[in-house]
């Protein structure tokens, strides 16, 4: 049997890919919070970081893990849909309709791709601080980022709940811990555009 075709193994690797993205998300958040320190410190950090060897490695790792995470999720769902017998198929909870779960995931993926293209090719990196100020002065960007953060929060809560359950936390506790982590991350991200308006 192929190592990566084993369901349990692929599920673990999918979780590892998700955790890599969570670590990146935390790093990305911490570096963005430097925005509150002012233009000089913010631009200096990003100019320095973009020149380090780790920057290129990080981009390749993120693209590879995102592709693996998405492909594995889709293939697992397709396999579940074609499994022998309807009674063996894993159903979505009634509180989370299938169209909502997959629609949210699709919106999140679209937002990640949009954000990557935007930050890589569509903004002025010479003065990244001013680019972000200009970006969040546009109401449309508030709508796009609001939608992106909403779907990110939902996906993070789902993923963290599963991971924390795997580490043995009870249902009552892992939902609360996951929700707390998600709230801290989302509120911290929101603080960037809010500071532009203040």
């Amino acid at each position: 049997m192929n190592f990566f075709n084993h369901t349990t193994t692929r599920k673990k690797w999918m979780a590892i890919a998700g955790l890599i993205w969570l670590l990146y998300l935390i790093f990305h958040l911490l570096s963005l919070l430097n925005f509150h320190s002012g233009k000089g410190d913010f631009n200096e950090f990003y100019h320095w970081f973009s020149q380090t060897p780790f920057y290129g490695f990080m981009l390749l790792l993120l693209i590879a893990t995102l592709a693996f995470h998405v492909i594995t999720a889709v293939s697992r769902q397709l396999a579940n849909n074609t499994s022998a017998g309807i009674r063996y198929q894993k159903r979505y909870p009634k509180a989370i309709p299938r169209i909502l779960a997959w629609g949210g995931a699709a919106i999140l993926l679209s937002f990640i791709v949009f954000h990557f293209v935007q930050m890589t090719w569509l903004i002025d990196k010479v003065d990244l601080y001013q680019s972000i100020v200009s970006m969040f002065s546009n109401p449309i960007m508030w709508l796009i980022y609001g939608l992106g953060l909403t779907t990110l929060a939902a996906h993070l809560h789902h993923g963290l709940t599963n991971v924390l359950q795997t580490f043995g936390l009870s249902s009552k506790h892992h939902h609360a811990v996951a929700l707390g982590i998600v709230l801290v991350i989302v509120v911290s991200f929101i603080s960037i555009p809010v500071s532009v308006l203040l």
Side-chain angles (χ1 to χ4, degrees), residues 35-36 111 114 118 131-151 186-198:
F35 185 88
H36 299 302
F111 173 73
F114 166 79
Q118 179 189 42
S131 295
I132 291 177
V133 170
S134 299
M135 182 172 68
F136 286 119
S137 297
N138 184 345
I140 295 177
M141 293 309 304
W142 273 82
L143 180 62
I144 292 173
Y145 274 80
L147 190 59
L149 279 178
T150 300
T151 54
V186 170
V187 169
S188 298
F189 271 119
I190 291 175
S191 73
I192 308 299
V194 167
S195 69
V196 170
L197 298 182
L198 298 179

Side-chain angles (χ1 to χ4, degrees), residues 20 23-24 27-28 45 48-62:
I20 289 173
L23 290 175
Y24 165 72
F27 166 77
H28 184 48
F45 170 79
W48 167 80
F49 181 67
S50 64
Q51 302 300 317
T52 64
F54 180 73
Y55 179 75
F57 170 78
M58 181 189 72
L59 287 182
L60 290 175
L61 179 64
L62 290 175

